[in-house]
Amino acid sequence: MKLIDAHVTNFRSVDDSQPFTVGQVTCFVGKNEAGKSALLLALATLNPHPLTPQKLEKERDYPNRYLNDYKDRHPDADAIAVTTNWKVETKEIKAVEATFGSGALSSSTVTILRRYEAATPEWKIAVNPAKAVAALLKKYGITGATPDVAKATDLPELHAALNAQPTKADADNKLLAFLSDKKRLVVEVEALLKPFLPTFMYFASYDRMAAAANIDQLKQLAAQTTTVDDNTRSLKLFAEFFDYANVSLNDISTATTFESFNAKLRSASNKVTDQIFKYWSQNIDLEVLVRVDIAKTSDPAPLNAGLIARARILNKLHRADTPFSERSAGFVWFFSFLVKFGLIERLGKPVILLLDEPGLTLHGKAQADLLKYFEEELAPSHQILYSTHSPFMVPPDKLLACRIVEDRVHVDSNGRRMPVGTRVSAEVLSRDRDTLFPLQGALGYEISQSLFVGKHTLLVEGPSDIVYLQALSHELKRRGRTHVSRNDKLQKLFRERFGNQFQTVREYYAAHEHAVRIEDVSPWL
């Protein structure tokens, strides 16, 4: 199942976000305190992953200014915090049709929501019980069914009609056995689709791997499936590091010869170096070294007993290696992030990643590397929704995948400021300048790069200046004098897109009365 849109309501600063669409990778951009974290947290409560549990709590999460009026505002049912729509994919439709026949699902879109005080998500599925009944009768070879059986409108009704027949054929008994524990069709379809519903993993703090760890302690943490406290997360990540490198902790601790012992450590070092530096372009002269040796008694516990694993980084340019913990904060963050999410990518289970402000300690170029990792490694298997303030975390070639988040205020006739709450919009060109700053920064950087490439570049203030220059240049050309050369490549791309309908960009603008959508012009800008 793929998440296609969401709608957050009654959650902290979000009275009503308005429905917003999401893609495979979606970026939320907004000022501090705009409500980006609230949006991601609300989504996380829909179907949280066990390792990142999130739960709706009325006193904490319901908008505080309305808390005392909760029962008056929601007299019939608890408030809805998040509503989502999902596309049911082909394999999931086939799973339903294999049991209840073609047409049992009357829509490939499913709505799933979460209310306060509810133990599980609430599903809304469009089903067609009449088609399911007809398909089951055909599947079990029941022909010439009695009127009561043929007119059954749901599974319990079909079971009752078959059971009421005085005489039953083998086919009737087989279908009765199938229907014996079945509830209404919508309930049965929900049970079939539930395993395909992704869980949500929300991350606001990003663990950093420890530089050294006791092997016996790592084994215990590796076997631990529940959440760990803050003090042991960095050690747990060290255990996951060995898993990421496909090296067994048991193999290391039970190795009886130096060569086999060294080979496994070298394998871990090489594998992790290759994987990490595929995306870390800041310094290509680094290499990850993994060492395991006997503890030194003067080291602090638990590093003073047993076997100790140490991660070090070798700088081949300076011919020096340093403990992992002494590298730059950006590198340690990037390394730890790739280890953690590399393992998530391997789970083979549907997971949606909700990342709150990833990559804050990274250089702008390293943030671009992180976006590349999102696209190439995570996005093929998982949807990613993340928030950012950084222009370098905004994909300039995919601005339409960004969502603008604003905490809006209404000023009444008396000048009083009244909160409207957090709103989400896909209109990336129609909001205030402060909110749009990361998008403008990303687009400006991208444009400036193309300006640097050009041998002779003329930058003007606005479209009218271009029109004047084109008119003057055309007249100079008509008189046989030096004129501004046309961008033949741009014109070629323009005509490939629009054919002969418009000859120039100016004609296109004029025909559309300046109402040009960015998706129309972005391929040839």
Side-chain angles (χ1 to χ4, degrees):
M1 296 173 65
K2 182 176 181 179
L3 180 63
I4 53 178
D5 64 59
H7 186 187
V8 177
T9 52
N10 306 304
F11 189 87
R12 301 190 183 182
S13 66
V14 191
D15 289 351
D16 183 353
S17 71
Q18 302 294 307
F20 56 92
T21 58
V22 299
Q24 199 64 21
V25 180
T26 305
C27 173
F28 292 93
V29 177
K31 295 188 290 189
N32 289 328
E33 301 299 318
K36 301 185 299 298
S37 297
L39 285 167
L40 296 179
L41 277 168
L43 288 169
T45 65
L46 184 77
N47 189 35
H49 192 282
L51 294 180
T52 57
Q54 300 292 333
K55 185 179 180 181
L56 284 173
E57 294 183 11
K58 191 190 304 178
E59 289 73 19
R60 180 192 65 190
D61 298 324
Y62 190 79
N64 188 261
R65 64 186 183 278
Y66 300 131
L67 184 58
N68 290 339
D69 301 324
Y70 182 88
K71 290 185 178 179
D72 294 332
R73 288 166 60 87
H74 311 283
D76 301 321
D78 279 300
I80 298 172
V82 57
T83 305
T84 55
N85 286 312
W86 302 76
K87 180 184 177 182
V88 183
E89 299 183 307
T90 302
K91 65 178 180 179
E92 296 142 13
I93 293 174
K94 287 182 177 178
V96 174
E97 291 181 344
T99 304
F100 297 109
S102 178
L105 268 177
S106 55
S107 172
S108 61
T109 301
V110 169
T111 299
I112 305 174
L113 58 89
R114 171 73 82 166
R115 296 180 185 272
Y116 284 88
E117 310 294 339
T120 58
E122 183 178 321
W123 293 58
K124 294 183 179 180
I125 308 172
V127 296
N128 191 326
K131 283 194 174 183
V133 167
L136 286 172
L137 293 175
K138 182 179 179 180
K139 180 178 179 180
Y140 283 86
I142 298 176
T143 57
T146 63
D148 288 343
V149 170
K151 292 179 181 178
T153 58
D154 211 336
L155 305 183
E157 193 173 327
L158 176 61
H159 181 274
L162 281 170
N163 201 40
Q165 292 185 140
T167 58
K168 301 178 184 65
D170 287 342
D172 298 330
N173 289 323
K174 288 179 180 178
L175 182 52
L176 277 170
F178 170 78
L179 294 170
S180 61
D181 61 347
K182 297 292 184 292
K183 301 175 183 177
R184 295 177 58 234
L185 179 63
V186 66
V187 177
E188 298 300 327
V189 171
E190 178 182 328
L192 288 172
L193 293 179
K194 271 184 179 178
F196 297 105
L197 177 65
T199 54
F200 289 83
M201 297 188 80
Y202 171 79
F203 292 91
S205 60
Y206 301 88
D207 304 328
R208 298 183 183 183
M209 194 180 87
N214 184 291
I215 289 290
D216 290 333
Q217 188 178 15
L218 291 186
K219 287 182 183 178
Q220 295 172 4
L221 288 172
Q224 193 171 329
T225 56
T226 57
T227 56
V228 294
D229 58 36
D230 293 338
N231 295 327
T232 54
R233 279 182 184 149
S234 61
L235 293 173
K236 172 90 170 172
L237 194 53
F238 208 135
E240 293 171 343
F241 160 77
F242 279 104
D243 193 9
Y244 182 70
N246 288 330
V247 175
S248 167
L249 289 170
N250 285 328
D251 288 348
I252 290 176
S253 59
T254 58
T256 56
T257 66
F258 173 80
E259 288 302 330
S260 61
F261 182 79
N262 185 63
K264 293 183 184 302
L265 294 180
R266 189 72 241 179
S267 173
S269 299
N270 292 340
K271 184 176 181 64
V272 171
T273 296
D274 291 343
Q275 291 175 333
I276 294 299
F277 293 102
K278 178 181 178 183
Y279 295 101
W280 179 261
S281 63
Q282 297 297 286
N283 187 342
I284 62 174
D285 295 308
L286 303 182
E287 180 181 351
V288 180
L289 298 177
V290 184
R291 297 175 180 172
V292 176
D293 51 28
I294 301 298
K296 302 297 185 280
T297 55
S298 296
D299 283 340
L303 303 179
N304 59 350
L307 288 176
I308 307 301
R310 304 181 193 276
R312 300 180 69 84
I313 304 299
L314 171 66
N315 188 316
K316 293 178 286 186
L317 185 64
H318 293 282
R319 300 181 183 180
D321 66 280
T322 55
F324 184 74
S325 57
E326 294 181 13
R327 302 306 303 181
S328 70
F331 177 80
V332 173
W333 187 95
F334 195 86
F335 184 98
S336 303
F337 183 91
L338 264 63
V339 169
K340 169 68 75 175
F341 289 91
L343 286 174
I344 291 173
E345 192 276 331
R346 290 189 203 167
L347 290 176
K349 297 179 180 179
V351 174
I352 292 179
L353 302 174
L354 306 173
L355 309 179
D356 204 350
E357 300 288 350
L360 285 177
T361 59
L362 297 178
H363 180 273
K365 187 65 171 65
Q367 290 180 351
D369 292 338
L370 183 60
L371 283 181
K372 182 181 178 184
Y373 177 75
F374 285 176
E375 290 288 346
E376 294 184 2
E377 298 292 336
L378 297 181
S381 304
H382 310 287
Q383 285 183 272
I384 306 164
L385 283 67
Y386 71 96
S387 63
T388 190
H389 297 125
S390 170
F392 301 102
M393 286 296 293
V394 175
D397 58 336
K398 297 181 180 177
L399 289 182
L400 295 178
C402 296
R403 299 292 174 264
I404 303 302
V405 182
E406 296 176 291
D407 188 8
R408 299 201 189 163
V409 175
H410 171 70
V411 181
D412 66 16
S413 57
N414 296 321
R416 289 193 310 164
R417 290 167 56 84
M418 303 296 292
V420 175
T422 297
R423 291 287 176 88
V424 183
S425 171
E427 298 295 327
V428 297
L429 299 179
S430 63
R431 300 302 172 199
D432 73 87
R433 295 175 64 183
D434 290 343
T435 297
L436 286 180
F437 177 76
L439 280 79
Q440 292 171 333
L443 191 57
Y445 176 77
E446 189 74 5
I447 292 172
S448 69
Q449 295 307 297
S450 62
L451 292 176
F452 294 147
V453 172
K455 188 175 181 180
H456 302 292
T457 302
L458 177 62
L459 185 64
V460 297
E461 185 176 353
S464 59
D465 300 309
I466 297 176
V467 174
Y468 297 145
L469 283 171
Q470 285 178 338
L472 290 170
S473 178
H474 179 76
E475 181 60 22
L476 287 168
K477 183 180 180 181
R478 189 183 69 80
R479 298 185 183 190
R481 298 175 61 180
T482 303
H483 61 280
V484 179
S485 61
R486 283 179 17 177
N487 187 334
D488 293 332
K489 183 178 180 181
L490 175 62
Q491 294 295 335
K492 181 180 178 182
L493 289 172
F494 185 83
R495 286 186 178 137
E496 284 177 358
R497 180 169 178 81
F498 297 107
N500 295 320
Q501 184 179 2
F502 304 105
Q503 293 301 311
T504 65
V505 177
R506 183 176 58 176
E507 288 182 18
Y508 180 79
Y509 269 72
H512 287 74
E513 297 180 351
H514 304 283
V516 182
R517 298 180 305 167
I518 192 169
E519 60 264 36
D520 289 333
V521 299
S522 58
W524 48 268
L525 279 178

